[in-house]
Amino acid sequence: MKCPVCSSNLVEIKFKSAFVDICPRCKGTWFDSDELVDFVRTLTESEEISPQIPQLFNERIVKTLNSVKENKDKVCPRCNQKLKVFNYAYDSNVFLDKCPHCQGMWADEGEAKKLARYLKEDPRITSIAKSFIKKDRAMQDSQDLAKISRTLTRSANPVVLSIPKMIIPLSDDTPRQRVPLVTIFIMILCVLIFIGQVFFIRDPFAFVQKFGLIPAHFLGIGLISSMFLHGGLLHLIGNMFFLWLFVSNVEDRFSRFGFLVFYLCCGLSANILHSFLNWNLSIPTMGASGAISGIMGAYFIFYPKARINIFVIYKILRVPAFLYLGVWVLFQLMFGFTFKTTGVSNIAWFAHIGGFIFGGLFAYFKKKAVIIKG
């Protein structure tokens, strides 16, 4: 093939896994269809190619075809069709010649490197952009929280009491380091036991009396077994959702066996505090929420700056974990003392508090020990 610029014979060379045709005289390069993309992608991965740094806050000047001296004699070395000049990516200011018939492209000397510099991401520019986005998102979240706060404070007291039902955590931004096998095992076990409760237990009342936690009969199997029982499908779904959202991340901080022991200890702490404050109560209690609350306390210590996506009334917000979990435990305290003075509640509020305190304290000392050791 002949060079479109100087008519010299093109020399085919191997570049990585592809072959390109280079003019030994003018150093231009001919790329058959799709070869340019792979060639430039390889160049961008090279440390020798530095990224093009745009001038921040300055308007980018995009050149037009009128500002480029077009060589009207350039023809395709493959099919002898006239090459058309175009601005690659529309604003790169790197003008290549393309054959409208075979889709091959001609790049003059150095143009492929210019294109790689243009396409290569500059980490400084990316960092600034992410910082702007992060600050804008934080400001928007603050404005949304303030708006919701004003709405609630203007409302009647019953609305304030229903706030927890309006705040639903959806997800967090803490990546898991490994597959949470213990968490999955606990979820499967709870689901299987619930299925057994529904379909295979002939006397549910006697079953709950035996395996549920009854403070008046404190020392019994219910101290452990109650944290794997659930009183209904919604009770099970809610606990399993919180279990997956918070517990699977905390599992990364423990060995498999160590985490299982920690989970059980959180549930025991929850049951002990509930029983201590309701010593004469003969109503059985069941559910994994006490143990899960302990894991939430550990999450509060391990990942305080993690962002949690929550649904509040009508909007999804991203709030720090310490804020969401701090408000959550305050509501547990408020409802716990409220129902303690007014009568019996169908929710063991102090079990949640006991689990949260134990999990948080244990995580605090574990985190402190790791820092001292490190």
Side-chain angles (χ1 to χ4, degrees):
M1 294 191 297
K2 298 292 183 179
C3 171
V5 177
C6 62
S7 299
S8 299
N9 291 326
L10 299 180
V11 178
E12 187 179 61
I13 64 169
K14 185 176 182 180
F15 181 80
K16 301 296 182 179
S17 59
F19 289 90
V20 295
D21 300 279
I22 295 180
C23 176
R25 184 176 177 184
C26 69
K27 308 302 181 185
T29 309
W30 172 257
F31 299 94
D32 288 323
S33 179
D34 297 329
E35 286 183 346
L36 177 66
V37 175
D38 295 332
F39 185 86
V40 173
R41 182 185 293 116
T42 304
L43 284 179
T44 58
E45 296 171 355
S46 172
E47 295 182 359
E48 297 179 359
I49 303 296
S50 59
Q52 178 178 309
I53 304 175
Q55 296 297 318
L56 291 178
F57 312 113
N58 289 344
E59 184 179 359
R60 178 178 175 81
I61 300 175
V62 180
K63 296 180 180 179
T64 63
L65 293 177
N66 295 330
S67 62
V68 179
K69 295 181 180 179
E70 182 177 0
N71 188 341
K72 297 182 179 180
D73 296 329
K74 283 185 182 178
V75 294
C76 174
R78 287 285 185 195
C79 52
N80 293 321
Q81 297 288 325
K82 182 182 177 181
L83 299 180
K84 299 292 184 180
V85 180
F86 73 104
N87 191 345
Y88 194 91
Y90 303 103
D91 67 344
S92 67
N93 291 335
V94 178
F95 290 86
L96 304 178
D97 301 276
K98 184 175 183 179
C99 176
H101 180 69
C102 68
Q103 305 301 311
M105 283 185 276
W106 173 260
D108 291 327
E109 181 182 7
E111 286 185 335
K113 288 186 176 181
K114 289 180 182 179
L115 192 56
R117 290 190 65 227
Y118 166 78
L119 295 175
K120 190 165 187 177
E121 189 176 70
D122 180 16
R124 288 170 291 180
I125 303 301
T126 303
S127 177
I128 293 173
K130 288 181 179 178
S131 177
F132 277 127
I133 293 172
K134 185 177 181 180
K135 288 183 179 180
D136 181 70
R137 181 180 293 168
M139 183 178 296
Q140 184 63 43
D141 289 348
S142 299
Q143 292 173 351
D144 292 336
L145 285 172
K147 184 177 180 180
I148 291 170
S149 177
R150 288 194 297 271
T151 302
L152 293 176
T153 52
R154 293 170 185 169
S155 303
N157 287 334
V159 175
V160 176
L161 292 176
S162 65
I163 288 176
K165 298 179 180 179
M166 301 178 185
I167 303 176
I168 304 173
L170 302 177
S171 62
D172 67 341
D173 63 356
T174 306
R176 298 180 180 88
Q177 304 300 319
R178 60 184 181 180
V179 179
L181 295 179
V182 178
T183 302
I184 295 173
F185 168 75
I186 294 172
M187 294 177 70
I188 293 175
L189 182 61
C190 288
V191 171
L192 291 177
I193 291 176
F194 180 76
I195 293 174
Q197 288 178 241
V198 174
F199 294 103
F200 300 103
I201 301 300
R202 295 183 178 180
D203 189 349
F205 179 78
F207 179 83
V208 172
Q209 287 288 325
K210 181 177 181 179
F211 294 103
L213 172 67
I214 302 177
H217 306 286
F218 175 66
L219 297 177
I221 192 174
L223 271 174
I224 298 294
S225 60
S226 62
M227 66 181 76
F228 297 98
L229 306 181
H230 291 86
L233 183 60
L234 291 180
H235 188 201
L236 174 70
I237 293 174
N239 277 347
M240 293 304 99
F241 178 76
F242 273 79
L243 182 68
W244 180 254
L245 179 58
F246 293 104
V247 180
S248 57
N249 289 116
V250 176
E251 184 177 336
D252 288 334
R253 299 297 188 106
F254 294 84
S255 64
R256 304 290 190 190
F257 180 74
F259 177 74
L260 179 60
V261 173
F262 176 64
Y263 180 86
L264 294 175
C265 288
C266 288
L268 278 173
S269 301
N271 289 340
I272 289 171
L273 183 61
H274 171 72
S275 299
F276 179 77
L277 295 176
N278 300 275
W279 195 253
N280 297 319
L281 188 66
S282 58
I283 300 175
T285 302
M286 68 183 81
S289 55
I292 296 171
S293 298
I295 305 301
M296 291 169 69
Y299 193 104
F300 180 85
I301 299 298
F302 286 141
Y303 310 104
K305 296 182 180 179
R307 291 282 174 167
I308 297 178
N309 295 318
I310 61 173
F311 180 78
V312 185
I313 304 178
Y314 61 89
K315 194 175 184 67
I316 295 178
L317 303 178
R318 284 167 53 88
V319 300
F322 74 86
L323 177 61
Y324 171 77
L325 293 173
V327 171
W328 180 86
V329 76
L330 285 177
F331 271 109
Q332 306 307 303
L333 286 167
M334 182 183 74
F335 285 120
F337 285 111
T338 299
F339 286 106
K340 185 68 177 174
T341 57
T342 58
V344 178
S345 169
N346 62 344
I347 298 177
W349 301 105
F350 283 101
H352 300 169
I353 297 166
F356 190 91
I357 292 174
F358 174 82
L361 287 175
F362 188 92
Y364 172 78
F365 288 111
K366 179 178 175 61
K367 188 176 181 180
K368 188 176 181 180
V370 171
I371 293 174
I372 293 174
K373 185 177 179 181

